[in-house]
Amino acid sequence: MLRGKNILLGITGGIAAYKTTFLVRLLIKAGAQVKVVMTQSASSFVSRLTLSTLSKNPVLMDFVNQEDGSLSWNNHVELGLWADLMIIAPATANTLSKMANGTCDNLLMAVYLSAKCPVYFAPAMDLDMYRHPSTKASFDKLESFGNTMIPAETGELASGLHGEGRMAEPETIVQFLIKDLTKDLPLSGKKILITAGPTHEAIDPVRFLGNRSSGTMGFELAKRAADLGGKVVLVSGPTNLTIDEGVTIDLIRITSAQEMYDACHKHFKDTDVAVLAAAVADYRPKHVAVEKLKKKDGDLQIELERNPDILFSLGEQKEHQFLVGFALETENELENAKGKLKRKNLDAIVLNSLKDAGAGFGKNTNKISFIDKNLEIKTFGLKTKPEVASDIWEEIIARIHA
Ligand code: C5P
């Protein structure tokens, strides 16, 4: 959620300022660009050099820079426009009061007053200051401006007293931001289960039966669901694909169909939407050799037994879940896909035909039809897999919100 976001961090003069080094690290790790503006008094608590090194940007404090013998102007309006969101942490009683009253006596205040983006503030002060009616009045006024408070926590305070006023921990601030930014997204609060990739069925310790699925379609579906605010569990067979840092997806890597079955069943009960895009092996060797099979004269026969059909088994257990399967067909595509939709008790099925040039395994493009349980069919043109993932989610969201 924070990936690619421009975040302006305003630091004011309280002891909790030292924790902003960790906050900057977490925001950068989540994929955000961070610029820091601090007050003079904040610089007594945390070093400008530390923050500029961590944020990979100069840390601004004054309207005018006097570096290398030349003067330059820090443009507060530009900074305000650059930001997708602004966090003031720690926000002291003094700064909160200035924000509430529009007192513009430093660069940070000028940036705050120029910012058009959502503003969050994380107060930090001693408990009596936190409870003082004038501080409460600042909170109320700032919330009436549309700013969002990240409440202080209760615990030991720098004064030695115990009570409310500790700045929220950096991890809590990041979680708060993510939750707040995703609250209006269409998959917010929904648990999404996705399967991807092939499965490998062991023959002996070094050999397996597999298929050419790259896992791209399932990974793109998972990434898109996370962007739409979903809490995503991605169960993937062996692939080279990874999830970018900063994307919150619970990736469970498995090898065999049985392991995929177990992982899916573990998560299905409280899942809201399940999309099974994996190319699961239908059969597995009946006996897995303990030692590597030796070459012998003549042919080798391997007896295969059926793997469980994961999608079918989830269809049997389905209660409130919206269940989507994939069908990769070579003949009688539509009829076969409709048959699977009914037999596996699905809410929708995504059909891709191997006959369509550019569709299917190992390609970066796909061409699909989305068929729902009322047999309403929507056919799309040839698109990239991220675009296809987007189309599929649009169709699902239209139905779960209907
Ligand atoms: O019946 P068929 O294998 O064509 O169905 C494809 C759909 O069923 C896909 O969504 C695939 O992920 C799922 N499937 C499964 N477990 C299997 C075989 C297929 O979940 N053993």
Side-chain angles (χ1 to χ4, degrees):
M1 260 315 111
L2 298 176
R3 196 162 26 111
K5 289 258 188 298
N6 291 340
I7 300 183
L8 209 48
L9 174 62
I11 307 177
T12 71
I15 178 62
Y18 85 92
K19 289 192 186 171
T20 56
T21 54
F22 297 97
L23 180 57
V24 172
R25 275 276 302 127
L26 289 175
L27 294 172
I28 298 272
K29 226 174 139 207
Q33 283 83 248
V34 179
K35 287 189 183 176
V36 175
V37 181
M38 72 199 299
T39 61
Q40 283 284 352
S41 52
S43 67
S44 311
F45 293 98
V46 61
S47 123
R48 232 172 143 173
L49 181 62
T50 311
L51 290 163
S52 65
T53 309
L54 291 172
S55 67
K56 304 183 181 86
N57 274 311
V59 172
L60 308 175
M61 210 155 72
D62 304 304
F63 285 99
V64 175
N65 279 326
Q66 270 183 314
E67 275 156 28
D68 308 326
S70 64
L71 291 178
S72 65
W73 168 250
N74 289 322
N75 189 328
H76 55 88
V77 177
E78 247 171 44
L79 278 168
L81 291 177
W82 171 84
D84 294 314
L85 61 107
M86 181 172 190
I87 316 163
I88 299 181
T92 58
N94 182 38
T95 292
L96 290 167
S97 161
K98 287 195 221 173
M99 289 162 68
N101 293 293
T103 311
C104 189
D105 63 353
N106 60 30
L107 179 66
L108 175 58
M109 283 308 305
V111 173
Y112 166 70
L113 292 171
S114 309
K116 295 205 167 114
C117 59
V119 176
Y120 296 82
F121 61 94
M125 63 199 78
D126 216 58
L127 76 166
D128 293 317
M129 295 170 78
Y130 195 78
R131 283 198 202 130
H132 196 279
S134 95
T135 310
K136 288 254 181 284
S138 297
F139 295 159
D140 293 346
K141 208 159 171 193
L142 291 173
E143 286 183 323
S144 80
F145 297 161
N147 298 169
T148 307
M149 170 148 129
I150 305 177
E153 293 169 4
T154 299
E156 197 184 320
L157 300 162
S159 61
L161 296 174
H162 192 278
E164 207 176 8
R166 279 168 69 93
M167 185 180 83
E169 290 299 325
E171 290 81 3
T172 314
I173 294 180
V174 171
Q175 285 314 316
F176 187 101
L177 293 175
I178 292 173
K179 209 164 165 198
D180 199 63
L181 291 169
T182 54
K183 69 178 190 293
D184 297 327
L185 292 174
L187 294 181
S188 167
K190 302 243 179 282
K191 178 169 171 180
I192 312 296
L193 175 66
I194 293 172
T195 67
T199 62
H200 287 180
E201 310 298 327
I203 297 170
D204 68 15
V206 294
R207 301 180 180 97
F208 61 83
L209 288 177
N211 61 65
R212 293 186 207 283
S213 165
S214 64
T216 313
M217 198 59 245
F219 271 64
E220 291 301 337
L221 282 163
K223 283 191 246 171
R224 184 71 192 139
D227 283 346
L228 292 166
K231 190 169 173 295
V232 182
V233 176
L234 172 61
V235 183
S236 173
T239 76
N240 295 323
L241 303 175
T242 51
I243 301 290
D244 290 344
E245 205 170 1
V247 182
T248 330
I249 289 177
D250 181 6
L251 174 59
I252 303 172
R253 290 198 189 269
I254 53 82
T255 304
S256 66
Q258 187 60 51
E259 287 167 4
M260 186 174 271
Y261 177 97
D262 294 340
C264 287
H265 278 271
K266 189 169 158 220
H267 284 279
F268 191 60
K269 209 167 174 49
D270 61 347
T271 285
D272 295 292
V273 182
V275 185
L276 273 66
V280 186
D282 291 324
Y283 295 92
R284 64 185 169 209
K286 191 161 186 176
H287 306 287
V288 181
V290 182
E291 303 294 339
K292 185 181 167 205
L293 291 178
K294 290 259 182 295
K295 200 179 334 178
K296 290 192 193 133
D297 287 341
D299 296 339
L300 170 73
Q301 301 235 345
I302 299 174
E303 197 181 342
L304 301 178
E305 64 181 1
R306 279 294 298 268
N307 261 328
D309 187 321
I310 305 166
L311 186 56
F312 182 85
S313 66
L314 296 183
E316 280 183 321
Q317 293 193 3
K318 197 173 71 154
E319 292 164 344
H320 59 279
Q321 297 90 341
F322 192 92
L323 184 58
V324 183
F326 267 69
L328 186 69
E329 304 291 339
T330 53
E331 53 187 357
N332 292 332
E333 291 102 333
L334 218 46
E335 285 322 302
N336 285 340
K338 285 182 191 167
K340 266 176 208 171
L341 180 81
K342 286 256 162 325
R343 199 168 56 252
K344 301 196 187 191
N345 191 24
L346 310 180
D347 295 284
I349 194 156
V350 178
L351 166 67
N352 38 19
S353 163
L354 272 181
K355 281 186 183 153
D356 286 314
F361 280 17
K363 307 257 173 41
N364 288 324
T365 49
N366 208 355
K367 187 175 180 318
I368 61 146
S369 297
F370 186 96
I371 309 164
D372 72 11
K373 66 173 179 216
N374 302 322
L375 302 185
E376 200 181 297
I377 304 173
K378 190 156 175 188
T379 299
F380 296 86
L382 187 70
K383 296 190 180 193
T384 64
K385 285 187 176 169
E387 287 168 341
V388 174
S390 209
D391 288 340
I392 291 172
W393 279 115
E394 206 170 293
E395 295 304 315
I396 295 173
I397 287 164
R399 285 161 179 83
I400 58 176
H401 288 177

